[in-house]
Amino acid sequence: MLSDLDQIRQKALHALESIQDETSLEAFRIAYLGRSSPLMQVFDQLGKLAREERPAIGRRANEVKQALEAAFSTRSDTLRQAALLRSLQTERLDVTLPGRVLPLGRLHPATISLRAIVRAFADMGFQVYRSPEVETDEYNFGLLNMPPDHPARDMWDTFYTSMPEVSLRPHTSPGQIHVMRQYAPEPIRAILPGMCYRYEQINARKETQFNQLEVLAVGKNITLGDLKGTVSDFARRLFGQNIRTRFRASYFPFTEPSAEYDFECLLCNGKGCTVCAWTGWLEIGGCGMVHPIVLQNGGYDPAKFSGFAAGLGTERIMMLKHRIEDIRYFWSNDLRFLEQF
Ligand code: PHE
């Protein structure tokens, strides 16, 4: 029995030497240290041996078992080390190389401009209201006091859709009707920003898409003075205390009286330059007192309520502030332009 055990040990250690991979190592473990291995059978048979033989054989069996286990774990470590070394050599990874920097996004100049404008109006108590970019003829024109064939429709070059009577909005003014119909007879102080579309011959000043911001206040005793005060205050909040504003009489079918308002040229401080065509003033937008018919269409009794409205081009403000000479830069997606803001 003792010599059997020595033989087992010898055979096992010899077999172990030639093992080169994890699979044969596992096969070795099952063959020499597993439940039905010859070594384990010796342990099973200990009980059947003569009393005096048992201690010596038991001791030797344990020695062999410990020796095999030790050799097994040494071999296992060696194999793992070798595998690690191999993968380090073949799958080289240089962790000292600098990483690739992801380009960071930024706000579009139109958004920067819009946010500044919204902040100025929000500070004066105006709330942002969203209205659709696709409207019916009725909202775009009819309810704004321009029945079909009204000549004033020529002021807005419109994109019609294949659906009759449906067009992209050429201005944010139809939003006036939406807000009024939602809030009548409550007082309103709202701004409506958003994209507008016009069928235009594109040039440095005109694009087929652009952002507008509608300003609307409806309530009791709202006067032209409130309109002028609000527009002038807006100019000061955006461009500083010293900026001057002026109003020129104009015509819109949905306001009466109507005006266009100018800000003192920001580039020459009113002295006259190429941007303001030597007038010292820059045209910002249209405005006026909401027409009684429009108030009525919105659900307000014009005998009791009055209101003012104004519209401004938000890209325009950005152009003035940064001396951008061509509106086409805004939507042409040229990073050399966009990255300057
Ligand atoms: N909607 C007009 C335009 O696009 C501007 C405007 C708004 C005029 C509100 C008066 C009142 O030209």
Side-chain angles (χ1 to χ4, degrees):
M1 202 47 113
L2 286 175
S3 67
D4 283 352
L5 281 168
D6 289 340
Q7 239 173 20
I8 289 174
R9 168 165 34 196
Q10 224 176 5
K11 216 175 128 198
L13 293 179
H14 183 72
L16 198 55
E17 268 169 37
S18 59
I19 283 174
Q20 296 299 343
D21 60 273
E22 295 280 337
T23 358
S24 10
L25 191 67
E26 177 61 9
F28 169 89
R29 195 190 58 77
I30 292 165
Y32 290 95
L33 288 161
R35 288 205 137 276
S36 42
S37 61
L39 178 61
M40 290 306 153
Q41 273 160 18
V42 173
F43 284 103
D44 290 343
Q45 285 158 19
L46 275 181
K48 292 179 200 150
L49 295 177
R51 263 184 169 277
E52 59 282 9
E53 275 182 324
R54 266 185 234 165
I57 302 225
R59 201 179 313 118
R60 182 65 59 86
N62 268 323
E63 278 167 21
V64 173
K65 183 167 174 258
Q66 274 160 18
L68 292 194
E69 280 172 351
F72 173 83
S73 93
T74 312
R75 189 79 204 158
S76 163
D77 286 350
T78 316
L79 285 183
R80 216 172 305 129
Q81 286 292 335
L84 183 63
L85 208 66
R86 233 179 357 256
S87 80
L88 280 178
Q89 272 162 0
T90 54
E91 303 152 27
R92 269 237 166 106
L93 177 71
D94 185 352
V95 292
T96 63
L97 267 180
R100 289 193 191 94
V101 180
L102 288 177
L104 278 186
R106 64 182 74 214
L107 292 179
H108 191 280
T111 309
I112 297 173
S113 180
L114 184 60
R115 288 196 180 176
I117 295 167
V118 167
R119 206 173 306 124
F121 277 105
D123 287 345
M124 293 189 278
F126 285 80
Q127 288 188 322
V128 175
Y129 187 96
R130 292 273 176 189
S131 75
E133 287 182 26
V134 179
E135 292 279 18
T136 57
D137 192 82
E138 199 188 9
Y139 272 86
N140 273 335
F141 302 111
L143 293 166
L144 293 172
N145 199 25
M146 278 177 274
D149 303 319
H150 191 291
R153 287 185 177 215
D154 286 352
M155 289 162 71
W156 292 275
D157 311 285
T158 311
F159 278 114
Y160 289 93
T161 67
S162 50
M163 226 185 271
E165 303 292 303
V166 175
S167 56
L168 302 182
R169 66 173 173 197
H171 53 171
T172 44
S173 298
Q176 291 184 26
I177 305 288
H178 288 292
V179 202
M180 286 195 269
R181 289 192 168 176
Q182 183 167 337
Y183 289 101
E186 297 296 321
I188 293 171
R189 250 189 280 179
I191 47 174
L192 301 92
M195 196 63 87
C196 297
Y197 305 87
R198 287 188 198 173
Y199 179 69
E200 295 275 11
Q201 177 115 35
I202 298 173
N203 61 31
R205 296 254 123 200
K206 286 179 179 165
E207 252 284 26
T208 51
Q209 65 172 88
F210 55 94
N211 281 294
Q212 245 191 8
L213 182 115
E214 194 82 5
V215 187
L216 177 69
V218 177
K220 289 182 176 151
N221 305 316
I222 289 190
T223 67
L224 190 67
D226 295 315
L227 168 60
K228 290 188 77 173
T230 305
V231 169
S232 308
D233 197 22
F234 164 69
R236 284 191 292 267
R237 283 171 190 270
L238 216 60
F239 298 113
Q241 284 303 315
N242 297 325
I243 189 159
R244 295 193 301 154
T245 48
R246 75 172 182 188
F247 292 75
R248 288 175 289 112
S250 185
Y251 170 75
F252 297 100
F254 36 90
T255 45
E256 183 59 38
S258 302
E260 268 164 77
Y261 56 98
D262 302 338
F263 290 177
E264 189 176 36
C265 179
L266 307 159
L267 304 166
C268 63
N269 293 320
K271 288 188 199 77
C273 66
T274 48
V275 174
C276 60
W278 307 102
T279 61
W281 297 95
L282 292 165
E283 189 188 317
I284 303 294
C287 63
M289 300 306 291
V290 181
H291 195 287
I293 291 181
V294 176
L295 279 175
Q296 209 158 34
N297 290 340
Y300 290 85
D301 178 355
K304 295 192 188 120
F305 288 89
S306 56
F308 69 75
L312 57 96
T314 60
E315 279 87 62
R316 202 123 216 256
I317 301 262
M318 196 74 174
M319 289 172 77
L320 301 180
K321 208 165 175 172
H322 296 277
R323 214 186 241 273
I324 300 166
E325 74 282 8
D326 196 321
I327 197 168
R328 286 170 289 195
Y329 284 128
F330 279 91
W331 314 114
S332 57
N333 276 341
D334 187 336
L335 289 181
R336 289 170 302 179
F337 170 71
L338 298 175
E339 281 174 354
Q340 292 178 45
F341 302 97

